[in-house]
Amino acid sequence: MNRFDTVAIVDWSAGNDTGPAPRKDAIWVGLTRQGHAEDPIYIRNRALAEDALSSLIEAELSAGCRLFLGFDFPFGYPRGFAGALTGTDDPLAVWAWLEARVEDSPKSNNRFDLAGEINGRFPGVGPFWFNAIKREIDDLPRKDTRAGHGLPEKRRAEEQSKGTFSCWQMGGAGAVGGQVFTGLPVLERLRRRFAGRIAVWPFEPLDRPVSFVEIWPGLINPAVKEAEARGGIRDAHQVRMLARAVSRLPEARLKVMLDVNAPEEGWIMGQGFEDELTAAARDTLQPPPLRDDCFALPAGVDWTPVDEALAMLQDRLHPVVGREDVSVSEAAGRILTEDVMAQRSNPPLPNTAVDGYGFAYEALGDGNQVLPLVEGRAAAGLAFEGSVPSGHAIRILTGAALPNGVDTVILQEDVTLGDGEIAFRPGVKPFANTRKAGEDVKAGDVALQSGRKLTPADLALASAVGVDRLPVFKQLKVAVLSTGDELVDAGQEAAPGQIYDANRPMLAALIEQFGFDCLDLGRVPDDRETLRSHFDRAAREADAIITSGGASSGDEDHVSALLTEAGAMAEWRVALKPGRPLALGLWQGVPVFGLPGNPVAALVCTLIFARPAMALLSGQGWMEPQGFDVPAGFAKNKKPGRREYLRARMRKGRAEVFKSEGSGRISGLSWAEGLVELPDGELAITEGSPVRFIPFGSFL
Ligand code: AMP
Ligand code: MG
């Protein structure tokens, strides 16, 4: 979201009133408020549109909102016209000129006569042409027989944009000349009615609450076509989608698009940024696909250090999920797509932090104070309507807005209450026990930052500052499956050679704890075709796939074999313990994290690699788990070459590690409350020497 609270896009029409039922080629207004789209509004004629725009501006101004009001017709004419017509190059002089002469009503207007009259002031034939009425008009050719009028055919903006019409053409399919004639007088009247509060882009700096901006839905045509294919009225889609695109633009991008120099002709906002605008307009804001080579490893590398492996993932992955709006009550754990601004200050009014008595500090004299009490009291949610006269005090309760005449509050415990008066000792400080309006957060400030995973406290903040819906990324959906002929599910009969699938419940629970949506695809035997069909389903239904087992390069390692066969796999030999090669690849564009089957290695690799990678995919951005340097509660001589993760927990201020480093010991995983991370190099650890402890909670 950007600095505009409200974005309204108007599709103007020079046509006559076409009746009450919503139809194309009438006037349509698309509206977003605080980034939330409202249904497009149909307005049957220009007189009603002028009233509606006037009411909209008035309402936005009185709500203290900043309004972006876009219109789909040129704000200026090709260079030279303004000067020839009005004697000045100021395009706004043309607005005033037209306003004084255009006669317009829902059923008819004088645009053709006026165009002919203007043509009479220019040499040759033109610049205006096209006459849609029966009667001949002096100086206005029906066909384009213009010559010698001396003006360019198009503005520079139109010269650079395919599919634009010249504003000289006063009628016919797609023509814009009539819209300029009937639109500019309305804008001119609005400017006058709200003098000083409307700025016209790009002729005036946009430092007023309302900005008039020239826009053109042609710039987002591909997105509009997609929407139209699903039905509905084109004009309605255009205004709806363009309003959303503008409201979705980050402040910095909006700034770039508004930064143009076209003092006489004006410009079409977003021209030159069509792809960006179109992407922001789309109904399903689809992120770009991952690159095929996102998991490729540099050739010839034997063992990749952990930090290098992580840097590669960080570099190559990006969000793969779309966006949606959810209510605050549903937003815990979700990830914000945009900065969220405070709609209201917290606190909204100056108020009291304690129960006590309020008065004006200035009226206090020296020594002990005795102040008469006014009738009534101020309580939270119950404003005291009157004023408190200077030298008087009022009973006031925590959270109550300070009544007029009160700027300081004394604690009730510091007061002796008499009959209709209070007494207290000197020494009260000015503004004591009060909170200023907005001292916590001011309206318009960024309350929550984009990329944030929303905590319970964030929901309190959003609510306090008047935000009820939040723009978040759709939940990342992660498919989980286990591979191995030896596996059976919990509850099933297990033959002697079989083991229970321990990884899948663990990984599924982790996915949920990370805040993602888990798609449990079950167990797959060591059979390539079965695995293939599971991958196909996962790629259709999920955003990422996590597998365990079969990730090395043995005969029965079908995960790596299948990904290799698809030409989309890299065997990541990362220098860490525990952990064998990871199989990372793309299956039909969906990233696959092929974990080792050993549960200890599966958990460590998930936390160290899959977690931060999935954080990126989910829109949260790269994630580094917070570790703490603590004294070791153990001794160990660590060999050089690999980073090691030990199952650990904190007891008595020291990190203790599990008695065995055996990688099949699932009981040690369960015993642990975090990991001790030992650096890549050689290290002699004795009791009390510092080691890094990362609690499991740091990965969530
Ligand atoms: P793999 O990576 O498939 O070679 O498996 C390595 C070890 O982990 C073998 O001993 C497997 O039996 C074991 N393993 C594989 N998947 C699981 C699982 N889902 N639960 C428990 N152990 C597993
Ligand atoms: Mg296996």
Side-chain angles (χ1 to χ4, degrees):
M1 222 147 74
N2 50 56
R3 71 187 128 122
F4 291 103
D5 304 291
T6 304
V7 176
I9 300 292
V10 183
D11 179 348
W12 197 247
S13 166
N16 293 332
D17 192 332
T18 42
R23 55 184 89 198
K24 70 186 184 74
D25 296 334
I27 297 169
W28 283 91
V29 182
L31 206 59
T32 66
R33 289 201 155 88
Q34 307 303 343
H36 304 301
E38 300 187 359
D39 285 341
I41 305 163
Y42 166 79
I43 307 180
R44 56 187 280 188
N45 67 49
R46 289 181 295 279
L48 292 174
E50 185 166 347
D51 291 346
L53 290 171
S54 190
S55 310
L56 173 69
I57 294 171
E58 206 164 286
E60 295 298 314
L61 286 173
S62 62
C65 289
R66 293 189 55 113
L67 172 65
F68 178 110
L69 200 41
F71 296 93
D72 69 333
F73 52 80
F75 284 5
Y77 280 92
R79 49 212 171 272
F81 179 74
L85 186 73
T86 69
T88 142
D89 290 339
D90 180 2
L92 296 176
V94 177
W95 290 29
W97 194 98
L98 286 173
E99 199 281 326
R101 290 166 183 81
V102 170
E103 291 160 18
D104 193 7
S105 77
K107 293 282 178 215
S108 68
N109 62 66
N110 69 342
R111 70 179 197 262
F112 298 110
D113 289 296
L114 195 57
E117 189 189 321
I118 297 174
N119 276 355
R121 300 165 177 241
F122 284 83
V125 183
F128 292 103
W129 70 285
F130 199 100
N131 176 3
I133 55 180
K134 280 210 185 97
R135 171 168 55 81
E136 291 299 324
I137 294 175
D138 286 349
D139 295 324
L140 186 68
R142 286 192 183 274
K143 295 260 151 60
D144 188 5
T145 53
R146 296 170 301 155
H149 57 76
L151 291 170
E153 181 60 8
K154 287 186 170 184
R155 300 182 298 160
R156 289 193 177 87
E158 278 118 17
E159 283 164 2
Q160 286 178 25
S161 209
K162 264 194 260 156
T164 51
F165 274 68
S166 155
C167 53
W168 304 131
Q169 186 182 335
M170 292 305 288
V176 71
Q179 299 188 35
V180 187
F181 265 43
T182 55
L184 290 181
V186 172
L187 302 199
E188 175 65 12
R189 283 192 290 278
L190 292 172
R191 279 183 75 222
R192 288 187 199 152
R193 192 164 312 150
F194 299 99
R197 284 168 295 170
I198 295 177
V200 181
W201 179 83
F203 313 131
E204 298 174 323
L206 298 188
D207 54 5
R208 297 176 184 166
V210 181
S211 301
F212 283 178
V213 179
E214 180 186 334
I215 48 86
W216 184 49
L219 298 186
I220 59 161
N221 217 16
V224 171
K225 277 194 176 149
E226 288 163 14
E228 238 189 320
R230 295 191 293 272
I233 294 175
R234 178 184 178 79
D235 311 49
H237 285 309
Q238 287 181 326
V239 295
R240 174 179 70 80
M241 299 180 93
L242 198 50
R244 185 169 55 190
V246 171
S247 72
R248 271 180 181 168
L249 289 176
E251 181 64 34
R253 300 308 300 158
L254 186 70
K255 211 168 150 214
V256 171
M257 292 188 201
L258 289 172
D259 182 21
V260 307
N261 179 28
E264 185 185 348
E265 297 187 333
W267 191 258
I268 301 166
M269 186 202 126
Q271 183 162 321
F273 302 91
E274 286 81 355
D275 289 348
E276 199 174 331
L277 214 53
T278 303
R282 285 211 151 85
D283 281 326
T284 48
L285 196 59
Q286 277 310 326
L290 294 174
R291 292 172 46 131
D292 284 347
D293 61 353
C294 66
F295 292 129
L297 283 174
V301 172
D302 195 15
W303 286 93
T304 310
V306 172
D307 287 337
E308 268 179 47
L310 289 175
M312 279 189 274
L313 289 176
Q314 180 174 10
D315 196 38
R316 297 172 190 177
L317 299 178
H318 60 72
V320 294
V321 283
R323 303 155 184 238
E324 62 184 343
D325 281 346
V326 295
S327 71
V328 166
S329 59
E330 299 164 320
R334 304 297 296 275
I335 293 150
L336 274 186
T337 59
E338 287 150 61
D339 289 352
V340 170
M341 324 269 189
Q343 301 306 310
R344 196 174 193 233
S345 294
N346 182 48
L349 295 171
N351 67 18
T352 171
V354 298
D355 290 342
Y357 297 86
F359 46 82
Y361 177 81
E362 260 207 351
L364 298 185
D366 295 333
N368 286 342
Q369 305 293 315
V370 178
L371 300 182
L373 283 172
V374 299
E375 281 283 323
R377 59 173 207 168
L382 211 87
F384 178 77
E385 300 292 346
S387 308
V388 177
S390 174
H392 288 61
I394 182 170
R395 176 73 172 138
I396 188 165
L397 300 176
T398 306
L402 298 185
N404 280 332
V406 172
D407 59 17
T408 302
V409 173
I410 186 163
L411 213 60
Q412 63 188 18
E413 289 83 348
D414 294 342
V415 162
T416 312
L417 179 61
D419 188 14
E421 57 184 15
I422 53 169
F424 53 92
R425 292 170 179 280
V428 183
K429 302 230 161 56
F431 308 113
N433 299 313
T434 65
R435 309 173 180 132
K436 289 197 208 57
E439 73 172 21
D440 181 23
V441 184
K442 287 195 184 53
D445 283 357
V446 172
L448 293 167
Q449 279 187 332
S450 145
R452 206 175 156 73
K453 182 168 173 178
L454 292 161
T455 64
D458 292 342
L459 306 189
L461 180 55
S463 302
V465 299
V467 174
D468 68 328
R469 292 189 71 78
L470 291 163
V472 295
F473 283 103
K474 292 216 163 106
Q475 239 176 341
L476 188 79
K477 193 161 185 183
V478 184
V480 178
L481 62 84
S482 295
T483 72
D485 282 341
E486 73 278 30
L487 301 179
V488 289
D489 282 345
Q492 288 179 335
E493 193 78 39
Q498 293 185 306
I499 60 168
Y500 286 110
D501 180 357
N503 287 343
R504 197 150 48 89
M506 171 175 75
L507 294 175
L510 268 177
I511 300 296
E512 300 276 347
Q513 282 197 341
F514 295 157
F516 307 141
D517 190 8
C518 177
L519 174 66
D520 186 346
L521 288 186
R523 218 164 24 77
V524 185
D526 288 320
D527 170 70
R528 208 160 301 179
E529 289 319 305
T530 316
L531 188 60
R532 186 196 305 278
S533 69
H534 278 74
F535 272 11
D536 286 347
R537 172 171 172 218
R540 276 195 309 275
E541 295 180 25
D543 305 304
I545 305 171
I546 280 206
T547 68
S548 70
S552 326
S553 45
D555 293 349
E556 295 297 341
D557 287 323
H558 295 283
V559 171
S560 52
L562 198 56
L563 288 171
T564 307
E565 184 193 301
M569 137 109 182
E571 185 182 63
W572 283 48
R573 289 148 59 83
V574 184
L576 97 161
K577 186 182 168 193
R580 282 191 310 175
L582 283 175
L584 299 187
L586 288 184
W587 188 262
Q588 293 162 19
V590 173
V592 181
F593 298 90
L595 304 169
N598 179 309
V600 178
L603 181 69
V604 168
C605 290
T606 301
L607 296 180
I608 303 303
F609 294 103
R611 173 61 182 126
M614 290 192 298
L616 262 186
L617 299 173
S618 74
Q620 192 181 1
W622 190 250
M623 218 180 124
E624 260 163 48
Q626 292 301 305
F628 304 88
D629 287 337
V630 299
F634 62 98
K636 177 182 164 72
N637 283 320
K638 183 196 167 292
K639 297 199 196 87
R642 293 206 277 172
R643 187 165 300 181
E644 282 187 32
Y645 292 92
L646 309 178
R647 284 152 278 178
R649 63 185 195 184
M650 291 298 296
R651 287 295 181 273
K652 301 199 178 100
R654 293 186 168 216
E656 41 182 61
V657 296
F658 191 58
K659 58 182 190 270
S660 157
E661 290 184 18
S663 64
R665 301 276 197 120
I666 305 178
S667 66
L669 278 183
S670 165
W671 170 92
E673 292 161 10
L675 299 172
V676 157
E677 180 185 59
L678 301 179
D680 300 357
E682 187 172 3
L683 191 65
I685 299 156
T686 52
E687 291 258 352
S689 56
V691 289
R692 169 141 300 204
F693 175 73
I694 311 174
F696 285 141
S698 288
F699 296 97
L700 301 184

